[in-house]
Amino acid sequence: MSKIKYYSKEGLQRLHNELHELITVARPAASAAIAEARDKGDLSENAEYDAAKEAQGLLEMKIANVQNDIANARLIDESKLDASKVLVFSTVKLKNLKTNAVVTYTLVPENESDFKSGKLSAESPIARGLLGHKQGEKVDVQVPAGIIPFEILEISRN
């Protein structure tokens, strides 16, 4: 049984775009590579043919996985989420009470996380520690390195 994954509208569109690219560009390229290798002679001793067939198999597996992800995708309507507490798709401004550093993260589904752009997986220890809390609350978050005390300065929706 496949796991349901939640996506924003943009995240689901990226998944559809990836599938389109795999089917319309990568699949024909793999077929062409197999045809080219086949034309080079005896298939029993043709390493190029074997490599092309293996690459095609991996590509078909990737296409099947993306199709499965789309089939099990659920779109989250961000406009219906409660903005008074930290939820997935909340943008949270935090103050680390140990270092006084202020950081801002947007909590997103795991498959859309990108730490460099401030998109933190809702499955991460920090996000899990913040979920359900409200603005102004002080929260001790358990991370692999220990406990980090945060104050939630602001919660917003994009």
Side-chain angles (χ1 to χ4, degrees):
M1 186 167 147
S2 296
K3 183 179 175 186
I4 291 175
K5 294 182 181 177
Y6 295 93
Y7 291 87
S8 65
K9 187 175 181 181
E10 296 79 22
L12 188 56
Q13 185 59 49
R14 277 194 302 274
L15 204 56
H16 280 284
N17 293 346
E18 178 184 2
L19 180 61
H20 180 73
E21 178 81 13
L22 290 171
I23 291 173
T24 61
V25 178
R27 186 181 271 167
S31 295
I34 290 171
E36 183 180 322
R38 188 180 305 124
D39 291 341
K40 293 187 177 176
D42 184 11
L43 296 181
S44 64
E45 296 179 9
N46 190 334
E48 189 175 333
Y49 177 77
D50 291 339
K53 286 294 284 184
E54 185 175 336
Q56 181 189 38
L58 293 173
L59 174 66
E60 291 302 324
M61 187 170 60
K62 185 171 184 175
I63 289 171
N65 287 339
V66 173
Q67 288 172 328
N68 187 47
D69 285 348
I70 290 172
N72 292 299
R74 298 296 180 267
L75 189 62
I76 296 177
D77 184 355
E78 297 173 50
S79 67
K80 294 184 179 177
L81 296 175
D82 182 1
S84 69
K85 58 186 173 183
V86 179
L87 299 169
V88 176
F89 295 114
S90 294
T91 298
V92 185
K93 187 175 183 180
L94 304 169
K95 180 178 182 180
N96 182 326
L97 297 176
K98 277 186 182 175
T99 64
N100 288 326
V102 175
V103 293
T104 302
Y105 297 118
T106 299
L107 306 186
V108 296
E110 184 176 0
N111 42 27
E112 295 183 35
S113 66
D114 179 9
F115 192 74
K116 288 182 182 177
S117 65
K119 293 182 177 182
L120 191 63
S121 167
E123 301 294 319
S124 70
I126 292 175
R128 283 196 316 252
L130 297 172
L131 288 171
H133 290 279
K134 297 182 179 210
Q135 185 172 323
E137 284 188 41
K138 293 181 177 157
V139 181
D140 289 332
V141 176
Q142 178 71 47
V143 296
I147 295 177
I148 302 175
F150 286 109
E151 180 179 358
I152 301 172
L153 300 177
E154 187 178 313
I155 302 171
S156 61
R157 299 272 180 245
N158 291 344

